[in-house]
Amino acid sequence: MDVLSQSALLVAVVSFGLGASVLYRDLRNKLFVAFAILCLSICGWALFYFLEQLLGGGFYYRLHLGFHLLLSPVGLYLMQVMIRVRDRFTRNIFLVSALGCGGLMMMLFLGLERLVVIRALMDLFPEMIALQILHLMGIDGRLKRGFRRIPPTTIR
């Protein structure tokens, strides 16, 4: 067992502890629930990577890929709840992420992850979070330059 597998187990345990403790505190707060779901998704992602490295077999690897696909919509949802920006780009990238996650999960369920194109899509799928971060950095840069149109938020 290598260091990457051991650190995946450590990530799984810590993220499960964070997610469970946040869920224990308050289920009425959307931010707490979104953070807990992200932590539990990271827990599953890391745990099934560890189990695949320890026990081998395609079953654990497919579960690892499933949680890998969940990271993008869950992470984008947490960002939407935390930042409260509701512009067109943010809605569209979340919609593409959720629909893409569903479609790629179906492909994973059907065993099509062996195809090179599908596998490349699955590997690069969480990069949508980076696109959202770049978009938010652009909004921040425009605000610093004096551009006064602020994207719509839920704060009134």
Side-chain angles (χ1 to χ4, degrees):
M1 183 181 315
D2 58 345
V3 175
L4 185 60
S5 300
Q6 293 174 2
S7 60
L9 180 62
L10 183 63
V11 166
V13 170
V14 169
S15 62
F16 178 77
L18 276 172
S21 68
V22 168
L23 275 180
Y24 178 72
R25 294 199 188 273
D26 189 8
L27 283 175
R28 293 178 301 242
N29 191 336
K30 283 173 78 173
L31 182 61
F32 284 12
V33 172
F35 179 74
I37 291 172
L38 180 66
C39 284
L40 294 176
S41 297
I42 291 171
C43 171
W45 177 71
L47 179 67
F48 287 118
Y49 177 80
F50 170 75
L51 289 175
E52 192 268 329
Q53 294 295 316
L54 183 67
L55 304 173
F59 177 72
Y60 297 115
Y61 182 69
R62 292 177 75 180
L63 286 173
H64 167 71
L65 274 179
F67 278 102
H68 178 78
L69 293 174
L70 279 176
L71 291 178
S72 180
V74 171
L76 287 172
Y77 180 71
L78 174 67
M79 288 173 67
Q80 283 183 359
V81 170
M82 194 172 7
I83 305 294
R84 297 183 185 174
V85 173
R86 300 282 188 256
D87 61 346
R88 179 184 288 174
F89 181 82
T90 302
R91 283 191 311 263
N92 288 343
I93 198 164
F94 178 73
L95 182 65
V96 166
S97 176
L99 292 176
C101 179
L104 288 172
M105 283 281 199
M106 287 302 294
M107 290 180 192
L108 182 64
F109 179 71
L110 296 173
L112 298 176
E113 77 275 359
R114 287 179 233 120
L115 299 173
V116 175
V117 175
I118 304 298
R119 179 56 198 270
L121 283 173
M122 287 181 179
D123 287 342
L124 294 174
F125 195 67
E127 297 299 322
M128 290 190 188
I129 295 173
L131 290 175
Q132 178 66 35
I133 290 171
L134 289 174
H135 176 68
L136 292 173
M137 288 171 60
I139 291 171
D140 193 40
R142 285 192 305 257
L143 289 174
K144 285 183 181 177
R145 285 191 305 258
F147 186 69
R148 291 295 172 205
R149 184 184 171 280
I150 299 175
T153 64
T154 57
I155 301 173
R156 301 213 189 267

